[in-house]
Amino acid sequence: MNDYKDIEALLTPRVEAKASANLRSRISAMNHKPRRRWWPLGLVASMAVAAMVCGLIFAPAAQARVSVRQLIEDAITLLGENFTIKMEVRTTPQENFAHFDPSLAPIPVTMTVCGSEWRIDKGGLVACGNDTLRYEWIPSSRRGLCSAEGMNMIEGFRFLINPKAMLESEGTQDETVIEQEKGRIILTAKHENETRRYTFDAKTHRLTDYRVTISGVDVVRTTSITTGTAQSCMVLPEGIIWQNIDFVTGIGQGQAPEAVATLILSSLQTWDNADLLAKAFVYYDQESLRNLYLGSRLITTGRPVTKPNRPTHIFIPYTLQFSDGHQSTATLCLTQADDGGWVVDGGI
Amino acid sequence: MTNKYKQLAEENLDYLFRFAYFRLGDRDDAEDAVQETFVRFFGKADKVKPEKARMYLFRTLYNLCNSWQGRVRHLSLEVVGNRAADDDSELREEYLRIERLLCRLPYSQQEVIRMHTVDSLSFVEIAEILEQPVTTLKSRYQSGMEKLRKLIKD
C-alpha cells in the first residue's frame, strides 16, 4: 500500500478524546446479570423439567421456540448468495434510489444478487455493481453514470440488497418482537422512522417475505423471493455513454443553497446557460430535462430544510410554471459535489 | 460487575468514546451511545465469546451510531460547531476539522479511513465490524486516500 503518512497525520485527532468520569461511573455501576442456574433444586426437579420439555417437544401441536439469532442465521444460510427478490416499492420509476414516499402508488422493482454482484431494476432506472464498480442508467436514454470507487448510487436500496446485514442488524434492536402463527414466524423490528416485518417459514426458517412500513403504510413489500436462479447481474446495455462521477464538480461554491436553487431553476426558461445546467444536473439525462423544462418560469422558492435521514442534502421547495401554463410545486434536492459546489440530486 | 467485565470496560471505554464522538460530534450523544452499547453487551455477555467481546462492543456501537446519526446529523457542521458547551471546544474543533476533510469522500471510503486513522483500528478489526473482506477495505482506503491527497493539493 502507498505511503499515506502525511494524510494519516492530518486525520489523526490532535486532542485526546476521553470518556468523562460520569460515564465511567455509569458503566461501572452496571450489573452484568448471568443466566440463573438452579442447581439446588436437585434431581427430582430436574427430572420433572426434563419430562415437561419432552412433552412439549413431542406434543403434536407443539411449536419449537426459536431464538432471533438462530432464526436469522438459518434464514441467511438458506438465502445463500444468489437470489432474486421481486417487490413493490412506493417510489417513482425514474427518481433516484433514495426516494420512498408513502403517498405514492407502489411500482414493481426487481432486485438480483449474484455473489458480490447485484442489480436493481425499477423499470425507469436500473443500477448494478459489485464491490468497486457501479453503473446506473435510464433505459429510455443513452446516458448512464458509472463509478470505479464503489460510490453509493442506490442509497436506501443498499440495505435491501444486503439482506444478510439487514437481518443481522435486527438482532441488536431492543424493540424486536417475534411471534408464530399458522406455520409462519414473524419478526417485527421497530426502527426510528420505520418498522420492518420479516416472515419466515416456521419449519425451515426460510425468509418468505419482508416489508418496510412508514407511517402505517408499506413502502416496500416483497412479492416473491427465489434463490439460486440469478444468472448474471453485471450485464450492461449497449450504446450507452457512461459518465464517471467519482469526482463531480458543482456550481455556486460558497453560495447559499437557496441562491443556487434559484439560479438553477431560473435558468430552465431559456436554457442559455447550458454549461451551468450540465454541471447542476450531472446525475440527469440533460436532453430529456431540456425537452421537459425548456420554457418553464420560476414562480417561487421556499425556505431550505434538511431531513434527518439525509443529512448531506438540502431540500428547497419551489413552484414552476410550465410553457403550457400549468404550475407545479416540488422540492429540489441539492447536495455538495466533490469540489464544494452544488448539484441537483432529486426533486426534478 | 465481575472483574473480567470491569477490565474490558476500563480497557476500551476511551476507545469506544472516541469512536462514537468522531461519528456523532457531541459528548452527550457519544456517551449515551457508549452506555447503550454496554447495556446491550451486558444483556448478551453470556453468549459472546471473551475473545470476540471487544469487537462485539465496537460493532454494536457502530450500528448504534449509524441509527443515531439520523437523529443527530441533521444539524449542519456549523450548528454542531456552535453548540453551547465549551468544555470540549478543542475536541469539537478536531471533529469538525476531520469531518470537513472526510465529507468529500463517498461514505464507504470515509468509514474505512475514519476507522483506520481516527479510531486506530486494524484492517482485520475493521473487516469484523463492517463484515467486508480486508482486500475490499484496503482498496477503499487507498482510493479514498488518493482522492484526499488530490483534494488537499488542489
Side-chain angles (χ1 to χ4, degrees):
Chain A
M1 192 175 288
N2 288 349
D3 183 10
Y4 298 117
K5 279 183 183 161
D6 50 340
I7 311 172
E8 284 172 350
L10 271 177
L11 292 168
T12 304
R14 295 162 190 164
V15 178
E16 231 176 346
K18 281 200 167 285
S20 68
N22 178 279
L23 178 64
R24 277 177 209 288
S25 63
R26 272 148 65 191
I27 301 293
S28 25
M30 279 183 198
N31 282 321
H32 162 242
K33 292 175 184 167
R35 277 175 287 180
R36 289 183 179 186
R37 295 187 174 93
W38 296 94
W39 301 118
L41 282 178
L43 187 63
V44 175
S46 302
M47 285 174 69
V49 171
M52 220 163 70
V53 170
C54 287
L56 281 174
I57 289 172
F58 296 110
Q63 286 179 311
R65 281 185 171 273
V66 60
S67 72
V68 173
R69 188 187 180 86
Q70 188 61 53
L71 183 68
I72 286 172
E73 280 179 7
D74 291 348
I76 288 170
T77 306
L78 287 168
L79 199 55
E81 297 197 336
N82 180 309
F83 53 87
T84 300
I85 298 180
K86 293 191 174 181
M87 56 181 85
E88 288 183 337
V89 181
R90 290 184 188 271
T91 181
T92 52
Q94 284 197 351
E95 185 56 280
N96 63 45
F97 286 99
H99 191 60
F100 298 86
D101 185 343
S103 67
L104 293 171
I107 61 162
V109 175
T110 302
M111 187 178 83
T112 313
V113 173
C114 333
S116 62
E117 297 180 352
W118 49 263
R119 183 185 194 90
I120 301 171
D121 190 339
K122 294 210 291 176
L125 186 65
V126 186
C128 67
N130 56 26
D131 281 343
T132 50
L133 295 172
R134 304 284 157 90
Y135 299 90
E136 179 187 295
W137 68 96
I138 294 171
S140 60
S141 106
R142 304 189 70 75
R143 194 172 157 276
L145 306 173
C146 66
S147 163
E149 296 182 3
M151 184 168 283
N152 175 24
M153 292 178 172
I154 53 170
E155 312 208 41
F157 275 83
R158 73 181 189 276
F159 297 109
L160 300 178
I161 61 163
N162 193 352
K164 181 173 182 275
M166 195 167 73
L167 280 165
E168 281 190 340
S169 76
E170 306 305 3
T172 63
Q173 292 295 317
D174 273 351
E175 290 190 62
T176 301
V177 177
I178 187 165
E179 52 196 329
Q180 289 199 37
E181 59 168 44
K182 293 176 188 168
R184 299 181 303 171
I185 299 174
I186 296 166
L187 188 150
T188 310
K190 284 189 179 168
H191 293 254
E192 196 169 356
N193 300 314
E194 65 189 40
T195 302
R196 298 181 198 157
R197 183 173 178 269
Y198 305 83
T199 306
F200 305 86
D201 179 87
K203 276 187 184 168
T204 62
H205 298 172
R206 185 172 61 83
L207 179 68
T208 56
D209 175 75
Y210 67 79
R211 54 192 65 197
V212 181
T213 306
I214 297 175
S215 308
V217 178
D218 288 342
V219 290
V220 176
R221 185 177 75 86
T222 57
T223 51
S224 75
I225 300 176
T226 50
T227 57
T229 52
Q231 298 293 316
S232 175
C233 297
M234 294 281 279
V235 178
L236 299 174
E238 288 184 3
I240 297 266
I241 300 162
W242 297 103
Q243 180 179 354
N244 185 292
I245 53 165
D246 285 327
F247 191 91
V248 170
T249 55
I251 62 161
Q253 285 91 337
Q255 289 186 38
E258 56 266 48
V260 176
T262 305
L263 178 65
I264 295 168
L265 294 166
S266 56
S267 301
L268 299 175
Q269 190 165 11
T270 59
W271 215 274
D272 285 344
N273 205 342
D275 288 347
L276 177 139
L277 291 173
K279 280 187 175 178
F281 290 115
V282 62
Y283 298 130
Y284 289 80
D285 175 28
Q286 319 260 323
E287 203 179 313
S288 307
L289 275 185
R290 192 173 191 278
N291 290 338
L292 196 62
Y293 286 95
L294 182 65
S296 304
R297 190 167 65 86
L298 178 63
I299 304 294
T300 179
T301 54
R303 189 167 158 267
V305 292
T306 53
K307 293 183 181 178
N309 57 344
R310 298 185 75 191
T312 56
H313 292 69
I314 310 277
F315 297 84
I316 302 118
Y318 67 92
T319 303
L320 278 182
Q321 184 172 41
F322 284 77
S323 50
D324 63 0
H326 88 274
Q327 290 194 359
S328 170
T329 297
T331 304
L332 192 72
C333 174
L334 292 181
T335 189
Q336 277 200 301
D338 295 304
D339 65 345
W342 297 94
V343 292
V344 178
D345 194 19
I348 194 92
Chain B
M1 200 190 299
T2 59
N3 278 341
K4 68 174 178 180
Y5 291 121
K6 196 174 179 181
Q7 192 185 347
L8 180 76
E10 276 174 6
E11 282 174 0
N12 290 288
L13 194 57
D14 286 335
Y15 293 112
L16 290 164
F17 170 70
R18 181 174 63 186
F19 187 94
Y21 189 92
F22 280 91
R23 276 156 188 79
L24 302 173
D26 179 85
R27 176 172 285 276
D28 289 343
D29 286 330
E31 295 204 338
D32 283 351
V34 173
Q35 182 179 350
E36 180 62 24
T37 299
F38 277 100
V39 168
R40 292 184 185 195
F41 173 72
F42 288 138
K44 293 184 177 174
D46 287 336
K47 297 172 188 167
V48 181
K49 290 178 183 170
E51 66 273 20
K52 299 271 182 192
R54 183 168 185 266
M55 278 303 107
Y56 180 92
L57 288 169
F58 273 100
R59 200 166 142 195
T60 306
L61 183 59
Y62 173 72
N63 289 334
L64 272 172
C65 288
N66 276 347
S67 61
W68 284 26
Q69 273 178 346
R71 184 161 71 84
V72 177
R73 285 273 182 95
H74 62 278
L75 299 172
S76 66
L77 289 181
E78 287 69 25
V79 174
V80 174
N82 290 336
R83 279 189 172 183
D86 280 327
D87 294 350
D88 287 320
S89 58
E90 285 185 8
L91 186 57
R92 197 157 47 243
E93 274 308 311
E94 274 301 275
Y95 161 75
L96 292 170
R97 183 182 66 78
I98 292 170
E99 198 69 1
R100 282 187 189 114
L101 284 169
L102 290 178
C103 72
R104 302 283 183 83
L105 301 177
Y107 186 72
S108 58
Q109 291 172 4
Q110 278 185 36
E111 270 310 343
V112 183
I113 292 175
R114 190 181 284 109
M115 285 186 186
H116 194 58
T117 56
V118 177
D119 307 315
S120 306
L121 293 168
S122 70
F123 285 108
V124 174
E125 288 173 322
I126 300 169
E128 272 197 62
I129 297 170
L130 297 179
E131 299 182 295
Q132 300 274 346
V134 171
T135 47
T136 304
L137 297 174
K138 282 186 174 173
S139 147
R140 280 185 197 160
Y141 184 81
Q142 204 159 359
S143 304
M145 287 304 230
E146 290 296 343
K147 195 181 261 191
L148 273 180
R149 178 171 281 165
K150 196 175 169 202
L151 283 167
I152 292 164
K153 270 185 189 166
D154 292 347

